[in-house]
Amino acid sequence: MAQSGYKVELGERRFGRINWLGMQTLAQREIKRFWVVWTQTLMAPMVTAALFLLIFNIAIGPSRGDVMGVPFLHFLAPGILTMTVIQNAFANTSSSIVISKVQGNIVDTLMPPLSGVELLLGYLAGAVVRGLFVASGIGIGLMLVLGLVPAHPLVALAFVVLGAVFLGGVGIIAGVFADKFDQMAAITNFIVTPLAFLSGTFYSVAALPPVLQGLSRVNPVFYLIDGVRFGVIGTSDSSPMLGALVCLGACGAVCALAWWMLRTGYRLKN
């Protein structure tokens, strides 16, 4: 049809090269999803992190010597912070997609004129913002209770964002594959949680046998935790530069797969 002197073809994008409005709307939806239930999505993870620290302090804190030259709780805190951030970033994207699939309204996300990149960025925005809120709350608590001030705050922030992007992307992939909540729970229990727990969250990988050290060093989550630990206490098991490169590569690979799934509608348009 003719419109203002030019012809608009059916299906033609009318929002320029990037649909900023649509992408912003999706991002706002993802943020509001967790914000309206903040006691469950923000407060609960902070309480869980505090309980981890309290239990470890009561159980082995007084009898445990310094680790990496710092008190045990100071060593432990960055690992728990990172673990909490990545678990919540994963939960934000995966739950959004699975709930939409179960309720049958995933079409409301696929029908608007949003490209695969715009869908990806919209979903990841929610994961990153939720991760940053959780990290900020735990970080403030660590400063008030333990007097733990980050040695390299920008480094810690960069690895927190990388962690939220990486697990947010993994959450998109998991949400696309899962058709039911029990499938999503299986992915969380048998993949995400072991990756977080066995990546140096509670220990230094230098204390592991060589074989287990090698396995740990092929796990991107190890570099996320190690990078945040360096940012907070100023020391780590590996080079922060190497960790940043590994995490960037892992984020790129995961986001590329998630983008392809969203662009093609893989397991979403059935």
Side-chain angles (χ1 to χ4, degrees), residues 4 15 19 22 25-26 35 57 70 88 117 122 150 155 163 188 201 228 231 235 243 256-257 262:
S4 303
F15 301 93
N19 184 355
T25 302
L26 176 59
W35 187 254
N57 185 48
V70 299
N88 280 269
V117 171
V155 174
T188 301
T201 301
V228 175
T235 185
L257 178 56
L262 294 172

Side-chain angles (χ1 to χ4, degrees), residues 59-201:
I60 61 177
S63 61
R64 180 69 185 264
D66 289 355
V67 182
M68 291 186 174
V70 299
F72 177 61
L73 281 186
H74 287 201
F75 167 83
L76 188 64
I80 291 179
L81 183 151
T82 310
M83 180 185 71
T84 307
V85 167
I86 62 178
Q87 287 178 337
N88 280 269
F90 174 85
N92 208 70
T93 53
S94 61
S95 64
S96 178
I97 294 176
V98 171
I99 289 173
S100 294
K101 291 171 69 175
V102 171
Q103 293 180 343
N105 58 21
I106 188 67
V107 65
D108 294 338
T109 302
L110 299 177
M111 283 187 63
L114 290 168
S115 68
V117 171
E118 291 159 357
L119 288 171
L120 175 67
L121 293 178
Y123 278 116
L124 289 181
V128 171
V129 172
R130 180 170 170 178
L132 289 175
F133 268 112
V134 170
S136 299
I138 296 175
I140 292 172
L142 294 177
M143 286 190 286
L144 294 177
V145 177
L146 298 180
L148 187 58
V149 179
H152 309 286
L154 293 181
V155 174
L157 175 62
F159 276 96
V160 165
V161 172
L162 285 173
V165 170
F166 178 61
L167 267 297
V170 173
I172 293 174
I173 296 170
V176 170
F177 271 102
D179 293 319
K180 297 181 293 184
F181 290 113
D182 56 346
Q183 294 174 344
M184 195 71 256
I187 295 173
T188 301
N189 293 332
F190 296 111
I191 298 178
V192 177
T193 300
L195 282 177
F197 274 65
L198 302 177
S199 302
T201 301

Side-chain angles (χ1 to χ4, degrees), residues 18-47:
I18 300 176
N19 184 355
W20 294 106
L21 177 61
M23 188 166 58
Q24 178 185 356
T25 302
L26 176 59
Q28 289 176 341
R29 187 195 75 177
E30 292 301 296
I31 294 170
K32 288 179 180 179
R33 281 187 64 255
F34 73 78
W35 187 254
V36 295
V37 287
W38 64 272
T39 54
Q40 174 186 342
T41 56
L42 299 179
M43 184 61 69
M46 297 177 194
V47 172

Side-chain angles (χ1 to χ4, degrees), residues 218-241:
V218 298
N219 180 1
V221 179
F222 159 71
Y223 294 97
L224 292 171
I225 292 172
D226 206 47
V228 175
R229 182 166 285 137
F230 176 81
V232 174
I233 65 176
T235 185
S236 58
D237 280 313
S238 65
S239 165
M241 184 60 68

